[in-house]
């Protein structure tokens, strides 16, 4: 309840508007994109808290060092060692198969700039767990953020990514100059 009040205050006083599809009714992989700024984190928390989603998110392990560690974990963070990305996917899949129930927010862009493609972990986790993908967005052009459509993956990577690209085609992110095209290396 406190989180919803904080989110309501955020949307009331922010220049940004919440424009969202309904929250998923079952555990899902929530794609947070375009990931172009640290402000994305604040906006996605406000979205999740507004729609009542129990979310977890993956972040680089250095975010969890020192005093930030307990705070990041309390906000739903799961530390990821980027050098061992495959074990990160296996760990998340194992958590979900063991009965943990949550929506997992992943920013497939990776860091906020310097990449030419999305990381494929979100896709592999969704395929291995049978979870749908919810397309979450931030759009500086319209000053909106929220949950987009929910997609069931077909297993045809190219076709699935075409649907994802279509949704994000007009979404700019918080810092549009850092946006990259939704494309997997495997494509």
């Amino acid at each position: 309840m406190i989180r919803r009040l904080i989110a309501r205050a955020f949307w009331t006083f922010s220049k940004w508007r919440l424009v969202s599809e309904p929250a998923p009714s079952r555990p899902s992989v929530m794609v947070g994109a375009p990931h172009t700024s640290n402000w994305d984190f604040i906006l996605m928390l406000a979205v999740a808290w507004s729609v009542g989603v129990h979310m977890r998110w993956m972040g680089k392990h250095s975010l969890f060092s020192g005093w930030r560690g307990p705070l990041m974990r309390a906000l739903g963070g799961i530390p990821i060692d980027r050098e061992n990305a495959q074990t990160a996917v296996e760990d998340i899949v194992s958590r979900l198969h063991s009965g943990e129930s949550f929506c997992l927010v992943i920013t497939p862009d990776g860091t906020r700039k310097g990449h030419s493609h999305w990381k494929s972990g979100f896709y592999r986790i969704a395929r291995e767990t049978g979870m749908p993908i919810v397309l979450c967005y931030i759009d500086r052009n319209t000053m909106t953020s929220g949950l987009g459509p929910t997609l069931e993956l077909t297993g045809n990577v190219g076709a699935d990514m075409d649907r994802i690209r279509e949704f994000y085609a007009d979404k700019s992110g918080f810092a549009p100059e850092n946006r990259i095209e939704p494309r997997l290396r495997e494509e």
Side-chain angles (χ1 to χ4, degrees):
M1 182 155 154
I2 291 174
R3 289 180 176 192
R4 281 199 178 201
L5 289 173
I6 292 170
R8 185 174 294 155
F10 175 83
W11 295 117
T12 299
F13 296 107
S14 172
K15 293 179 181 179
W16 290 80
R17 292 179 302 119
L18 175 64
V19 178
S20 185
E21 299 281 328
S25 59
R26 65 183 177 120
S28 305
V29 173
M30 300 175 80
V31 173
H35 181 38
T36 62
S37 163
N38 286 333
W39 282 101
D40 301 347
F41 180 71
I42 303 299
L43 287 162
M44 281 295 111
L45 279 179
V47 169
W49 292 357
S50 292
V51 299
V53 170
H54 173 60
M55 69 162 205
R56 303 292 307 266
W57 52 274
M58 298 168 65
K60 61 185 175 182
H61 69 283
S62 60
L63 289 173
F64 296 83
S65 61
W67 63 269
R68 294 180 302 199
L71 175 63
M72 294 300 178
R73 284 180 181 82
L75 292 173
I78 300 170
I80 300 300
D81 180 0
R82 290 183 180 165
E83 299 301 316
N84 299 309
Q86 181 58 37
T87 59
V89 171
E90 292 167 2
D91 177 51
I92 296 298
V93 170
S94 175
R95 286 174 183 237
L96 292 163
H97 283 282
S98 73
E100 263 190 78
S101 181
F102 55 86
C103 288
L104 179 66
V105 178
I106 299 177
T107 56
D109 308 52
T111 56
R112 290 164 304 285
K113 57 185 171 180
H115 291 289
S116 59
H117 61 276
W118 278 15
K119 297 181 184 310
S120 61
F122 80 97
Y123 193 91
R124 290 181 308 173
I125 290 169
R127 289 290 297 158
E128 291 180 34
T129 60
M131 293 168 55
I133 290 179
V134 177
L135 303 179
C136 308
Y137 73 96
I138 296 168
D139 185 20
R140 180 80 175 216
N141 294 331
T142 60
M143 296 298 285
T144 59
S145 184
L147 305 180
T150 298
L151 307 176
E152 296 288 341
L153 297 180
T154 65
N156 179 331
V157 177
D160 291 337
M161 287 303 297
D162 284 344
R163 293 188 303 163
I164 291 169
R165 275 189 285 278
E166 181 181 346
F167 175 76
Y168 286 115
D170 64 346
K171 310 296 186 283
S172 64
F174 191 89
E177 65 277 8
N178 294 337
R179 183 187 183 280
I180 63 170
E181 183 70 16
R183 183 164 312 284
L184 301 180
R185 180 178 284 142
E186 296 83 3
E187 290 185 88

